[in-house]
Amino acid sequence: MEIKVVHQILEWNEDCSDEIKSELKEKKVCLVNVMGSPGAGKTSIITSIIKTMSEKFRIGVIEGDIAGQIDAERMQKLGVPVVQLNTDGACHIEAMAIQNMLPDFDLNSLDVIFVENIGNLVCPAEFNIGEAFRIALLSIPEGDDKVEKYPLMFQTTDALILNKYDMIEYFDFDEERVVRNAKDINPDIDIFRVSNKTGFGLDAFTTWLGNKIEEKINA
Amino acid sequence: MEIKVVHQILEWNEDCSDEIKSELKEKKVCLVNVMGSPGAGKTSIITSIIKTMSEKFRIGVIEGDIAGQIDAERMQKLGVPVVQLNTDGACHIEAMAIQNMLPDFDLNSLDVIFVENIGNLVCPAEFNIGEAFRIALLSIPEGDDKVEKYPLMFQTTDALILNKYDMIEYFDFDEERVVRNAKDINPDIDIFRVSNKTGFGLDAFTTWLGNKIEEKINA
């Protein structure tokens, strides 16, 4: 019963996602889908991206949350256009929601929109939301078995950030296991070791990100 | 569209959940639904429970995972009956799945079955699975804003374990914020500070758990 239902939603979702892609391609705006568990550091990474990249790119943010607007308030202080999406209980963002929100942005004055998806390693991976590419976060405290247990997330992402990397000495985390598992299911994945707290690895990641955004908006 | 669908599933799910409750009440078996984010420490806590409580209670485990059987293999080494439930992509366990699995256990020789739900702070909270009570884990590295962002999980649980408590000095985690937010939406919640790694707080939690199980199987 449930499988049939999800299939219906997914087909409808794909249509919306394709429409968003066409619209954004025309406007030369790149949508980036940022995903990861609750507490993996999605908001903090996006905050760092805004701080270091907003001279080069005109950035907007869609903040997805089940409820509340804690993260959107953090973003707004950085002076970028932010729209909060409350899913009212739903565990993922769907393309229709993004499509409905695009008119809230002046697309002619943006290069990139980061969508912070709901904190969840499962459902968000199933739903394309018109993104040009995906970034998945896995924080060290979550453990090194997550790629095996939640494969779709890591199979469908363009980049994997191993976040809170400064904590690796305190946790029993086999980094090679994660890298091996991720490459097995996603040979082209780019993997970055980052500590958003200390700044470690942020340069390498934002360099990759800048190239990726340029490649997409000039495609 | 989606809201209607979830509603249909939920009604059907409630019927199954009630049937499981009746069957387990008759057999004097207590089902415990253990939930939390990926990497919050669900498997480790259940492992500790088995090690410290299996002289007093006859324990079985249902291991829920999207894919694989890593955790079930860990449990089996402890000598308790374990059944692995693979949801094949679904982000939560439904009551029907539990109902189909109960015949795999000899219910006459069990006091309690722990169900390790899928690592997810959202959807599992919406689905009753015939449980006598719920335990939610929040690990310190996940951050102190999670009760506000994922309220249903913390509103519907009987106990909240603040796990990886030994890490609190390394993270900017406002414990009072979490306690205040949890009590606001769930005044009867019991909150335990636990480090499964060091053993801190495990005695207090397992004492509470033992009393709760006895209360339910003698009800």
Side-chain angles (χ1 to χ4, degrees), chain B residues 178-197:
Chain B
V178 170
V179 171
R180 189 175 62 244
N181 288 332
K183 295 266 186 197
D184 272 356
I185 56 173
N186 186 354
D188 296 328
I189 194 170
D190 288 301
I191 301 178
F192 300 94
R193 289 140 182 94
V194 170
S195 166
N196 200 67
K197 195 170 167 187

Side-chain angles (χ1 to χ4, degrees), chain A:
Chain A
M1 185 172 174
E2 198 202 5
I3 290 168
K4 192 173 68 183
V5 169
V6 171
H7 189 66
Q8 285 177 352
I9 293 174
L10 286 174
E11 279 184 359
W12 175 62
N13 187 75
E14 279 306 293
D15 293 342
C16 276
S17 177
D18 289 344
E19 287 166 23
I20 295 167
K21 276 187 187 168
S22 299
E23 182 178 356
L24 293 182
K25 191 177 165 69
E26 198 187 312
K27 295 282 186 185
K28 291 188 175 299
V29 176
C30 172
L31 191 82
V32 184
N33 189 354
V34 182
M35 298 184 278
S37 291
K42 296 179 292 302
T43 315
S44 300
I45 285 281
I46 295 173
T47 302
S48 292
I49 291 169
I50 294 169
K51 285 179 183 165
T52 57
M53 300 182 81
S54 53
E55 289 200 1
K56 190 160 182 192
F57 298 103
R58 299 164 301 169
I59 299 173
V61 177
I62 292 176
E63 269 297 327
D65 281 297
I66 308 280
Q69 51 180 356
I70 298 170
D71 293 341
E73 288 166 8
R74 276 172 72 184
M75 297 288 170
Q76 206 166 37
K77 288 182 187 149
L78 301 172
V80 297
V82 183
V83 180
Q84 175 77 47
L85 167 62
N86 278 339
T87 62
D88 298 325
C91 59
H92 60 274
I93 295 176
E94 292 179 27
M96 179 59 98
I98 300 297
Q99 197 167 36
N100 287 339
M101 295 170 82
L102 287 184
D104 294 326
F105 291 95
D106 176 7
L107 295 179
N108 293 315
S109 66
L110 285 180
D111 299 309
V112 54
I113 299 175
F114 291 95
V115 180
E116 181 177 342
N117 218 309
I118 305 299
N120 182 342
L121 278 186
V122 190
C123 317
E126 293 177 41
F127 290 82
N128 289 314
I129 55 171
E131 67 267 48
F133 60 94
R134 295 179 168 194
I135 297 169
L137 280 79
L138 173 65
S139 63
I140 300 301
E142 292 173 64
D144 56 19
D145 57 354
K146 294 301 167 289
V147 178
E148 288 149 90
K149 291 169 93 173
Y150 304 91
L152 189 66
M153 176 62 71
F154 301 98
Q155 195 176 0
T156 60
T157 190
D158 296 84
L160 167 60
I161 295 180
L162 296 179
N163 196 27
K164 308 190 189 180
Y165 196 77
D166 57 302
M167 301 308 291
I168 200 157
E169 62 182 297
Y170 301 108
F171 290 90
D172 182 22
F173 188 95
D174 180 351
E175 193 179 331
E176 288 313 310
R177 177 182 179 184
V178 170
V179 171
R180 190 176 59 243
N181 288 332
K183 294 269 186 193
D184 272 355
I185 56 173
N186 187 352
D188 296 329
I189 194 170
D190 288 301
I191 302 177
F192 300 92
R193 288 138 183 97
V194 171
S195 166
N196 200 66
K197 196 170 167 186
T198 68
F200 173 83
L202 271 174
D203 274 358
F205 169 66
T206 53
T207 301
W208 174 90
L209 182 60
N211 291 337
K212 193 90 178 168
I213 293 169
E214 289 198 333
E215 174 198 315
K216 295 294 178 183
I217 58 186
N218 296 324

Side-chain angles (χ1 to χ4, degrees), chain B residues 136-147:
Chain B
L137 280 79
L138 174 66
S139 63
I140 300 303
E142 292 173 64
D144 56 18
D145 57 353
K146 295 299 167 291
V147 177

